[in-house]
Amino acid sequence: MSDINYPDYSRGMSWEGAAVGGYPTVYRGREVIRPLDIPNIHPLVDDSPTNDNDQVVKQYIGRGCGLASLITENLLIHPFIVLRRQCQVKPISKKYHVVPFTLIPIMIRLHQTQGLTTLWKGIGSVLLVRGLTLAVEDLISKITPWPKEITHLSFKQLGQHILLKCVSIGIVTPFYSASLVETVQSEVASERPGVLDVFRDGVIRLLEVGTKGRLIPIYALLPPTIACGVVKYLFTISVKTIASHVMRTRHKYTQESRGAYSRDFLSESAVQDIELQSILISMCAADILFYPFETIIQRLHLQGTRTIIDNLDTGRSVTALLTDYSGAVDCYHTIIETEGILGLYKGFGALMMQFAIHIMVLKTTKWVLTEIVEATMLKPNPKPIKPPPSSYYNEI
């Protein structure tokens, strides 16, 4: 079969005319129709934000929720602390307020008779005592080898850390006692204390070494106060560690089930969220479990102080605290015999309201921050208009 020679049409081809917009106008004597320019009036929108923006948003939300939790823990829930302490220290009462519904009309009456600030009494002294505790722990950790935080689990470090907690709680105990009086005393029957009176009253309470009437000296209050504080602290960090481990494991399994598991499966935002939730869970668990012990400790601290509190049976009168306990064990048996087992849980409804407000504030803060941050940081960005591709004809 003979070879077929096809004509080479590529030879002698020539483009003529000036190029318009990158395209020649004449080819071999004939006019070339150039492509139309179609303007992109509505550029495409990038509907899917980048992962970096998403991580930044979650970090902002986590930090905002952490700040809201700190403010709630130290400021917003203080009225419920006042209510529950007043219920806890009252030995004779008709209403125990174990559920929150019975406290709502009492709160309304207190506001009507004493004003809006009646449930915020003692907040200054409470904050000062918390600050003093942190300062004492920091000072002790600097002048002793006792660590302020547990960095690695060892019996030596754990024992030294517990010693630091014992000493710091013992030093702060007189001022805690003075702050407790300011928190529960009625503003109708007593003068409003000054900002720094908690330090003066704490020193006076410390110097009252001997027994003055029914007043229990500080050295007798130290063992139950330190024991309750340290055991509650250890329980709190244990629950926090367990809850954090469970949530991390669940997060890992969730990512594996979605097929998105990686070596760094926990982002900074996820760590913040887990940390915040584990802290809240540990606080709730510790407050519930140690509620009866706190009732006993607070009654011992207020015995003999001649404190007058609001009558939470009616919300319109006041009552004096008259008790005669010889110690923590006697206080426990007296409460069981005269008030029943629910006597240890007086004011538990205020604690339930405290948890509800704390959780509601966190969820509201997270929702608001999510809406605000996404509206400002995750706006869809228009895609840049791509330049027209190079001419097909120029490549021939």
Side-chain angles (χ1 to χ4, degrees), residues 145-165:
W146 303 340
K148 189 167 58 174
E149 296 180 354
I150 300 177
T151 55
H152 60 277
L153 188 59
S154 65
F155 289 106
K156 180 180 179 181
Q157 189 179 66
L158 180 61
Q160 291 177 342
H161 182 67
I162 293 176
L163 281 176
L164 182 141
K165 287 293 182 180

Side-chain angles (χ1 to χ4, degrees), residues 106-143:
I106 301 298
M107 295 173 65
I108 296 175
R109 292 170 193 165
L110 287 174
H111 283 301
Q112 291 174 346
T113 57
Q114 301 185 31
L116 295 175
T117 60
T118 182
L119 294 179
W120 296 91
K121 53 194 173 188
I123 186 171
S125 63
V126 170
L127 295 178
L128 287 174
V129 169
R130 290 178 182 175
L132 179 62
T133 303
L134 296 177
V136 169
E137 289 182 359
D138 185 66
L139 178 61
I140 294 175
S141 65
K142 290 180 179 178
I143 63 177

Side-chain angles (χ1 to χ4, degrees), residues 270-286:
V271 171
Q272 290 176 348
D273 192 33
I274 290 175
E275 186 75 11
L276 187 62
Q277 292 183 32
S278 60
I279 290 175
L280 184 59
I281 292 173
S282 62
M283 287 173 53
C284 294

Side-chain angles (χ1 to χ4, degrees), residues 8-282:
D8 189 0
Y9 293 103
S10 63
R11 297 178 181 177
M13 289 185 179
S14 62
W15 296 97
E16 303 174 5
V20 178
Y23 300 98
T25 57
V26 178
Y27 172 68
R28 300 188 68 177
R30 294 184 181 182
E31 183 180 358
V32 176
I33 301 175
R34 95 184 152 81
L36 297 177
D37 294 331
I38 302 176
N40 191 354
I41 301 175
H42 301 286
L44 296 177
V45 175
D46 186 9
D47 295 327
S48 58
T50 60
N51 292 332
D52 293 339
N53 284 344
D54 187 56
Q55 291 299 326
V56 171
V57 167
K58 291 181 179 180
Q59 289 176 13
Y60 276 112
I61 294 174
R63 292 171 184 174
C65 291
L67 180 61
S69 179
L70 184 63
I71 295 174
T72 303
E73 181 183 350
N74 291 280
L75 296 176
L76 298 183
I77 64 174
H78 185 76
F80 306 105
I81 295 177
V82 172
L83 286 173
R84 81 188 223 200
R85 286 182 174 180
Q86 286 186 324
C87 292
Q88 284 177 297
V89 300
K90 187 180 180 183
I92 302 175
S93 56
K94 297 179 181 179
K95 298 179 180 179
Y96 286 10
H97 299 298
V98 180
V99 293
F101 306 106
T102 59
L103 279 169
I104 296 177
I106 301 298
M107 295 173 65
I108 296 175
R109 292 170 193 165
L110 287 174
H111 283 301
Q112 291 174 346
T113 57
Q114 301 185 31
L116 295 175
T117 60
T118 182
L119 294 179
W120 296 91
K121 53 194 173 188
I123 186 171
S125 63
V126 170
L127 295 178
L128 287 174
V129 169
R130 290 178 182 175
L132 179 62
T133 303
L134 296 177
V136 169
E137 289 182 359
D138 185 66
L139 178 61
I140 294 175
S141 65
K142 290 180 179 178
I143 63 177
T144 65
W146 303 340
K148 189 167 58 174
E149 296 180 354
I150 300 177
T151 55
H152 60 277
L153 188 59
S154 65
F155 289 106
K156 180 180 179 181
Q157 189 179 66
L158 180 61
Q160 291 177 342
H161 182 67
I162 293 176
L163 281 176
L164 182 141
K165 287 293 182 180
C166 291
V167 174
S168 62
I169 292 175
I171 293 174
V172 177
T173 294
F175 307 99
Y176 166 78
S177 182
S179 173
L180 182 61
V181 173
E182 293 186 9
T183 305
V184 301
Q185 68 181 0
S186 175
E187 293 184 347
V188 176
S190 57
E191 297 181 358
R192 181 173 296 182
V195 178
L196 301 178
D197 285 356
V198 62
F199 296 112
R200 182 200 63 189
D201 297 339
V203 173
I204 293 175
R205 186 68 191 274
L206 179 62
L207 296 178
E208 291 175 342
V209 180
T211 303
K212 185 180 179 181
R214 292 189 300 271
L215 185 67
I216 301 178
I218 285 296
Y219 68 84
L221 294 174
L222 285 178
T225 304
I226 292 175
C228 181
V230 171
V231 175
K232 182 180 179 181
Y233 169 75
L234 294 176
F235 177 81
T236 302
I237 61 175
S238 299
V239 173
K240 176 180 175 296
T241 303
I242 296 172
S244 177
H245 177 72
V246 170
M247 285 186 284
R248 287 170 183 264
T249 305
R250 186 178 62 180
H251 183 82
K252 176 182 176 180
Y253 288 157
T254 302
Q255 282 201 336
E256 287 180 343
S257 63
R258 294 177 180 176
Y261 177 71
S262 60
R263 183 175 60 181
D264 300 328
F265 67 95
L266 275 179
S267 61
E268 183 179 352
S269 59
V271 171
Q272 290 176 348
D273 192 33
I274 290 175
E275 186 75 11
L276 187 62
Q277 292 183 32
S278 60
I279 290 175
L280 184 59
I281 292 173
S282 62

Side-chain angles (χ1 to χ4, degrees), residues 372-385:
I372 293 176
V373 175
E374 287 185 352
T376 55
M377 297 186 61
L378 297 183
K379 289 183 178 179
N381 300 321
K383 287 184 176 180
I385 302 175

